[in-house]
Amino acid sequence: MENHLENKTPALRYALLDELRGLDLISMMLYHACWDLIFLFGMRADWYYDTPGRLWQQSICWVFILLSGFCVPLGHRTLRRGAVVFGGGALVTTVTLLFMPGDRVIFGVLTLLGSAMMLTALVRPVLDRIPPVVGIGVSAVLFAFTRQIMYGWVGFGSWLVFLPQWLYANYFTAFFGFMPWWFYSTDYFPLMPWIFLFWVGFFLHRLMGKQRMEPLRRSVCPPLGWMGRHSLLLYLLHQPVIYGVLYLVFRIL
């Protein structure tokens, strides 16, 4: 969720990408505010546990991951930016382990995005040789194929391949998607299957080409663009701010 565009003047940026990231950031803040209200302040909301809440949560993470992969070809120093985002994920993990161990975040979305960016930077010469249509197709199939890997199997529909349990051993295996039964995180995005969705976004950018990207320079809502350009900082700050406001309203006032 870090700003994946280079520090260009606003006129040279693809403003709509920033604004889409900002809009998705607002959606995420609202979703997390609902989480705080339900799990920390006792509000009842059955829909949050059901299909509407699940679809809302998935829409947020899909947009962030696809957009992050889509924006990789727009900038340089992908390895360094990935390290910064990974560091943001490590900070979230450290803070939650120290102050909210029962709601800890291990291998959350920032860790995923940072890891995906660094891995993409390392294998970029190989990815650039793959035709975009082939890359999108293979990445989408692999994403669907590994969608349930954390539960012990891969496959499509009723055609499943059950994986050996020794793969699901520890935190190291959990990072890749092989989650042991005792592992717990309130925000868990392992490398598989999500790296493949990230690469769908990467290849989609290459498929569009520079000319078809030009309409994305048009700005629709500059405040959303500002949020999109500062998304990493806002992501790191939003939960303490939301919790502080809700605590003030429900516990003090």
Side-chain angles (χ1 to χ4, degrees):
M1 280 167 281
E2 181 246 4
N3 174 22
H4 303 304
L5 306 180
E6 291 297 289
N7 290 325
K8 305 168 184 175
T9 60
L12 298 178
R13 297 183 68 90
Y14 292 98
L16 281 180
L17 297 180
D18 288 332
E19 291 167 12
L20 176 58
R21 187 185 296 109
L23 182 62
D24 204 42
L25 191 64
I26 290 177
S27 182
M28 181 201 65
M29 291 175 177
L30 293 174
Y31 181 85
H32 286 167
C34 288
W35 190 95
D36 288 350
L37 285 169
I38 293 167
F39 291 99
L40 301 180
F41 294 94
M43 186 182 80
R44 182 178 176 84
D46 292 338
W47 61 268
Y48 194 84
Y49 307 96
D50 211 339
T51 301
R54 176 65 175 170
L55 290 177
W56 187 11
Q57 187 266 347
Q58 288 293 292
S59 72
I60 296 167
C61 66
W62 277 53
V63 170
F64 270 130
I65 294 168
L66 279 168
L67 189 58
S68 180
F70 187 89
C71 290
V72 163
L74 292 175
H76 305 288
R77 299 188 293 275
T78 303
L79 191 63
R80 189 183 74 175
R81 296 201 317 275
V84 171
V85 177
F86 187 91
L91 177 62
V92 171
T93 297
T94 301
V95 170
T96 56
L97 283 173
L98 289 175
F99 299 103
M100 303 172 61
D103 297 310
R104 57 191 176 274
V105 174
I106 301 175
F107 306 138
V109 69
L110 287 184
T111 303
L112 166 71
L113 292 180
S115 301
M117 293 172 69
M118 290 189 288
L119 180 60
T120 301
L122 293 175
V123 302
R124 180 78 179 269
V126 176
L127 296 178
D128 284 342
R129 294 191 183 98
I130 301 174
V133 173
V134 175
I136 291 173
V138 171
S139 297
V141 169
L142 288 173
F143 176 67
F145 183 75
T146 60
R147 193 77 170 89
Q148 306 299 326
I149 195 171
M150 70 180 71
Y151 301 116
W153 63 82
V154 293
F156 304 101
S158 59
W159 186 81
L160 302 176
V161 177
F162 290 89
L163 301 174
Q165 285 303 301
W166 59 262
L167 288 172
Y168 298 79
N170 48 47
Y171 283 104
F172 180 75
T173 64
F175 171 76
F176 291 96
F178 305 105
M179 181 184 72
W181 64 268
W182 47 261
F183 178 85
Y184 175 74
S185 174
T186 57
D187 184 41
Y188 178 50
F189 286 88
L191 202 59
M192 291 188 294
W194 298 104
I195 182 64
F196 301 120
L197 186 63
F198 185 91
W199 282 342
V200 169
F202 173 82
F203 286 112
L204 182 60
H205 178 277
R206 290 183 52 207
L207 182 66
M208 285 190 65
K210 186 175 181 179
Q211 185 173 357
R212 281 182 287 187
M213 289 276 291
E214 287 304 307
L216 299 179
R217 295 192 188 277
R218 182 172 59 92
S219 175
V220 174
C221 182
L224 286 179
W226 181 89
M227 294 184 67
R229 292 191 298 274
H230 300 87
S231 53
L232 178 59
L233 177 62
L234 292 175
Y235 181 89
L236 293 173
L237 293 178
H238 83 280
Q239 268 290 46
V241 171
I242 290 172
Y243 177 80
V245 170
L246 293 178
Y247 186 85
L248 178 65
V249 171
F250 286 92
R251 297 288 190 266
I252 297 178
L253 296 181

